[in-house]
Amino acid sequence: EAQVTQNPRYLITVTGKKLTVTCSQNMNHEYMSWYRQDPGLGLRQIYYSMNVEVTDKGDVPEGYKVSRKEKRNFPLILESPSPNQTSLYFCASQIAGGPYEQYFGPGTRLTVT
Amino acid sequence: SQQGEEDPQALSIQEGENATMNCSYKTSINNLQWYRQNSGRGLVHLILIRSNEREKHSGRLRVTLDTSKKSSSLLITASRAADTASYFCATDSPFRNQAGTALIFGKGTTLSVSS
């Protein structure tokens, strides 16, 4: 089954404790992206990757890092989480070029206290 | 950088009625997509319409695009309780260097269908 998986699905952590949210897709997609969703603000892109070792900033990259060492994986790293990073996070993938549909993961609900 | 704006923000209807949601955007686009999100879950692609198309159908869904007005509408006919979800329009961003893959999402319309 074609899918995008994320782990963990729920995470409660404390300010400053480094964390990683994993994302994996089994569709051999070149393009992957991270979004955060906040009430009243919709989905905003954090980072994206056009292919292995190619990443770039989206609209709200501050406080986040990403890496793309393998085509299927695109982890999101919060080196020093802060309460304003409490949000619902989605990973998505797509065939490169376009226009094509994006496939979304189930989401990771992060709470930073 | 908001591109698409859905209207209304919330819509409540009865089963069997039609639901219409609108999306307006600011700059020229190559294509526009609609997605559905069930509460707290990942978005699911519904339909894609290119800038040279005016109307597209998929099952009970009908999407129109008016590039002169920079607007699109999503019509769900004979709605069901299972259609209860948030609906987002997403436009591509010709100004981003993402080779046609960048999508900018609106804030969504929350549809509630009661039985």
Side-chain angles (χ1 to χ4, degrees), chain A residues 31 37 45 48 59 97 102, chain B residues 31 33 35 37 96 98 101:
Chain A
Y31 180 89
Q37 184 177 31
Q45 190 181 49
Y48 66 93
D59 293 315
Q102 288 196 6
Chain B
N31 66 88
Q33 303 183 36
Y35 286 79
Q37 183 183 32
R96 288 196 187 187
Q98 292 191 31
T101 46

Side-chain angles (χ1 to χ4, degrees), chain A residues 37-95:
Chain A
Q37 184 177 31
D38 302 288
L41 296 177
L43 275 85
R44 294 178 293 168
Q45 190 181 49
I46 303 171
Y47 268 95
Y48 66 93
S49 170
M50 297 295 292
N51 213 325
V52 175
E53 302 292 1
V54 181
T55 63
D56 207 348
K57 298 176 181 178
D59 293 315
V60 288
E62 293 78 21
Y64 304 94
K65 283 176 56 176
V66 292
S67 68
R68 187 89 182 273
K69 292 181 169 41
E70 303 168 286
K71 197 172 186 179
R72 65 183 292 125
N73 297 323
F74 190 44
L76 179 69
I77 303 157
L78 285 73
E79 294 268 0
S80 183
S82 62
N84 65 11
Q85 292 178 299
T86 292
S87 187
L88 180 57
Y89 291 86
F90 290 102
C91 180
S93 73
Q94 180 190 324
I95 298 172

Side-chain angles (χ1 to χ4, degrees), chain B residues 72-87:
Chain B
S72 173
S73 68
L74 170 66
L75 168 67
I76 304 174
T77 59
S79 61
R80 307 165 182 167
D83 294 327
T84 294
S86 292
Y87 292 83

Side-chain angles (χ1 to χ4, degrees), chain B residues 3-19:
Chain B
Q3 167 76 308
E5 291 284 345
E6 292 89 346
D7 172 65
Q9 290 187 344
L11 181 60
S12 293
I13 60 175
Q14 299 283 326
E15 258 189 336
E17 294 180 336
N18 294 341

Side-chain angles (χ1 to χ4, degrees), chain B:
Chain B
S1 55
Q2 206 71 37
Q3 167 76 308
E5 291 284 345
E6 292 89 346
D7 172 65
Q9 290 187 344
L11 181 60
S12 293
I13 60 175
Q14 299 283 326
E15 258 189 336
E17 294 180 336
N18 294 341
T20 300
M21 288 157 267
N22 303 296
C23 170
S24 59
Y25 55 91
K26 298 172 185 172
T27 61
S28 61
I29 61 171
N30 297 316
N31 66 88
L32 184 145
Q33 303 183 36
W34 285 91
Y35 286 79
R36 183 188 76 231
Q37 183 183 32
N38 290 92
S39 181
R41 300 198 173 191
L43 280 72
V44 175
H45 180 263
L46 294 176
I47 201 163
L48 181 154
I49 187 165
R50 297 172 188 262
S51 59
N52 62 355
E53 297 175 311
R54 292 295 167 260
E55 188 170 311
K56 209 161 181 181
H57 296 256
S58 176
R60 293 183 296 113
L61 306 181
R62 172 179 167 249
V63 168
T64 61
L65 179 64
D66 187 335
T67 53
S68 67
K69 295 181 180 178
K70 291 187 171 60
S71 69
S72 173
S73 68
L74 170 66
L75 168 67
I76 304 174
T77 59
S79 61
R80 307 165 182 167
D83 294 327
T84 294
S86 292
Y87 292 83
F88 295 85
C89 68
T91 53
D92 67 333
S93 174
F95 304 107
R96 288 196 187 187
N97 186 24
Q98 292 191 31
T101 46
L103 289 179
I104 303 176
F105 287 85
K107 295 179 183 178
T109 292
T110 299
L111 173 65
S112 177
V113 182
S114 54
S115 54

